[in-house]
Amino acid sequence: PVTFLLGLGKLSGAFSLKGYCKGSEGYILKLEPKAADSSIQSFILLVQQSDLTPRAARVTDLSGNETSISLRELKINAG
């Protein structure tokens, strides 16, 4: 999932959208891997409402371990 946050992968190719809702900080997307052999159980992605920029993510592996990532002070294409 980190590769997707860095813009190196395609979410639509690897994950299916299983649900979403609007939260106080943006849209919360619940994604599940398309590949049956994936080591990921679920991928929760928080995106900004205005431009769909990723703000945070939580990945759960098949053992139930969770990894959370929070993105702050983003500079998109700052050069």
Side-chain angles (χ1 to χ4, degrees):
V2 173
T3 58
F4 302 107
L5 295 174
L6 296 173
L8 302 174
K10 281 198 156 204
L11 283 174
S12 62
F15 293 92
S16 296
L17 180 64
K18 292 298 178 182
Y20 71 95
C21 66
K22 184 177 176 186
S24 61
E25 297 181 38
Y27 294 114
I28 302 165
L29 311 176
K30 180 173 180 167
L31 306 170
E32 289 185 355
K34 290 181 178 179
D37 63 345
S38 175
S39 62
I40 298 170
Q41 179 179 338
S42 69
F43 181 22
I44 306 294
L45 185 63
L46 172 65
V47 296
Q48 247 177 231
Q49 183 178 349
S50 60
D51 60 4
L52 304 179
T53 301
R55 302 303 296 172
R58 184 175 69 221
V59 179
T60 305
D61 69 18
L62 294 177
S63 298
N65 300 309
E66 291 184 354
T67 302
S68 296
I69 301 167
S70 179
L71 304 170
R72 299 179 189 189
E73 299 181 33
L74 292 176
K75 295 181 177 141
I76 310 275
N77 297 326

